[in-house]
Amino acid sequence: MMDQFDAQGRLRHLITLEGLTRNQMLSLLDRAETFLRGPGELPAASLALQGRSVANLFFEPSTRTRASFELAAKRLGAHVLSLDISTSSRAKGESLLDTIYTLEAMQCDIFVVRDAQSGVPDYIAEHVEDHVHVLNAGESHVSHPTQGLLDVMTMRRHKGDTAGLVVTIVGDIRHSRVARSAAQALGTLGVGELRLVAPASLLPMPDEFPGATIMSDADEGVADADVIMALRIQKERMAETDVPNREEYFHRFGLDARRLARARADAIVMHPGPMNRSVEIAPDVADGQQSVIREQVTNGVAVRMAVMEAVSASPAEDPRLLTE
Ligand code: CP
């Protein structure tokens, strides 16, 4: 895999959370905090990316990640291009690399990439010029690093240090890049217990989540948890015949008020979106007092601002990102 750090140990690309030190992660989270604003205030803005050109290349659908990267880049003063892949020359057979080289020739210097195939962000990072940055915006079932950061940011804002928390992720763990990146972030920052709850067909492969407790009973999984994250079933990554029955799934694994009552009274409810209401989460729980789902979205813009600023800052401007 391509080294996502430069010779000085500075973050150059963000492909995975694996390999980020605790200090590097905390530095990004602390910086993201400074980009948050209160209700009714204007969003944070800076000129950190002035003159830069950011290309959003989403080869899979997205609402939150694509919109938040675009807003984050604009709020940092960048020019932003969100390429419509379906009407791009990719549809005429142009290769991925020729698309990248074409945009590089137009002086795009940050590529935000989502792809259904694993390895694509890394592959692009290996082929771009030295001054260009690649940010992974969701890679198959493998990695979604900015989602992992915004998820731990949301936990920390509500619960403080994650080190003693019981975090339960319930849903389609097997196909979830969100679960993998959250587990990596929690592995670095610390967690009391990470529980992964799913039907047998949606559990991860053995040893994929070292240290996590694997469970198949959602009532047990949720009991006394501090944080519960519900995940949707990723139908796009499985055969139609493997998709569980909606009603049965909701009964066994859906997060409804009865099941949530088994968690700690101050537990928070998270979901990366998009939600399938009444499949993995009940509408009254999704919109309820314990839900922080919309805060996750808000934090996503702040995290993406912090990441784009970090990769494009010179070490002299941000020595916090030097390795320990
Ligand atoms: N959480 C997430 O990745 O959402 P989108 O697919 O809408 O970007």
Side-chain angles (χ1 to χ4, degrees):
M1 185 181 148
M2 169 91 192
D3 193 348
Q4 57 185 353
F5 301 95
D6 67 15
Q8 286 74 43
R10 230 185 103 238
L11 195 63
R12 180 184 158 204
H13 307 292
L14 184 60
I15 309 293
T16 172
L17 294 181
E18 216 174 296
L20 258 70
T21 65
R22 178 181 170 83
N23 278 356
Q24 286 168 328
M25 219 175 265
L26 290 177
S27 164
L28 289 170
L29 296 176
D30 288 347
R31 185 62 179 144
E33 290 281 341
T34 70
F35 290 125
L36 293 178
R37 295 292 181 270
E41 289 182 352
L42 290 177
S46 90
L47 295 177
L49 261 61
Q50 193 177 32
R52 307 262 182 170
S53 296
V54 176
N56 264 337
L57 304 178
F58 280 68
F59 300 101
E60 267 195 329
S62 169
T63 296
R64 278 146 288 273
T65 313
R66 177 174 158 162
S68 61
F69 264 114
E70 182 165 340
L71 285 171
K74 286 179 174 167
R75 288 174 187 170
L76 294 172
H79 305 288
V80 182
L81 166 76
S82 286
L83 196 70
D84 183 348
I85 301 298
S86 63
T87 58
S88 76
S89 286
R90 287 280 279 156
K92 293 188 273 185
E94 186 165 57
S95 75
L96 173 64
L97 276 189
D98 282 335
T99 303
I100 298 294
Y101 293 149
T102 299
L103 296 172
E104 237 182 11
M106 297 179 197
Q107 293 180 283
C108 286
D109 41 23
I110 299 180
F111 289 100
V112 178
V113 181
R114 168 171 288 194
D115 204 284
Q117 201 181 325
S118 62
V120 166
D122 192 44
Y123 177 69
I124 295 172
E126 277 176 11
H127 288 86
V128 291
E129 293 171 23
D130 287 348
H131 66 280
V132 173
H133 311 281
V134 178
L135 305 178
N136 183 347
E139 173 192 0
S140 182
H141 66 289
V142 175
S143 182
H144 195 350
T146 55
Q147 180 75 43
L149 289 173
L150 76 88
D151 286 338
V152 289
M153 178 179 175
T154 306
M155 292 178 206
R156 287 168 61 83
R157 285 182 63 75
H158 282 271
K159 301 286 173 193
D161 193 348
T162 55
L165 299 179
V166 175
V167 177
T168 297
I169 306 182
V170 55
D172 181 1
I173 312 286
R174 177 165 295 184
H175 302 103
S176 177
R177 55 196 175 208
V178 173
R180 284 170 179 77
S181 288
Q184 285 168 352
L186 290 169
T188 300
L189 297 180
V191 66
E193 183 182 6
L194 175 61
R195 299 177 185 164
L196 304 174
V197 187
S201 62
L202 301 181
L203 282 172
M205 297 299 171
D207 303 326
E208 269 196 296
F209 288 82
T213 308
I214 307 293
M215 306 173 83
S216 287
D217 185 310
D219 283 343
E220 280 177 25
V222 164
D224 299 321
D226 298 289
V227 176
I228 304 153
M229 184 189 296
L231 299 177
R232 80 182 168 90
I233 300 168
Q234 306 225 353
K235 293 180 190 169
E236 68 272 31
R237 300 193 208 289
M238 60 179 85
E240 187 62 37
T241 48
D242 293 337
V243 177
N245 172 277
R246 281 174 74 111
E247 288 75 24
E248 188 190 335
Y249 183 86
F250 182 64
H251 175 68
R252 287 191 56 206
F253 295 96
L255 187 59
D256 59 9
R258 181 198 65 77
R259 190 159 279 145
L260 177 59
R262 296 176 63 84
R264 287 177 61 97
D266 61 351
I268 56 169
V269 171
M270 301 175 66
H271 192 305
M275 284 186 279
N276 290 137
R277 290 168 181 257
S278 304
V279 180
E280 71 272 9
I281 190 165
D284 61 331
V285 171
D287 302 325
Q289 298 252 319
Q290 288 167 267
S291 171
V292 296
I293 294 169
R294 287 180 207 161
E295 285 177 48
Q296 288 174 265
V297 176
T298 302
N299 295 342
V301 181
V303 155
R304 286 158 185 142
M305 288 175 80
V307 167
M308 283 196 279
E309 184 188 70
V311 295
S312 55
S314 73
E317 290 167 318
D318 194 351
R320 296 169 309 163
L321 289 164
L322 291 172
T323 47
E324 293 163 301

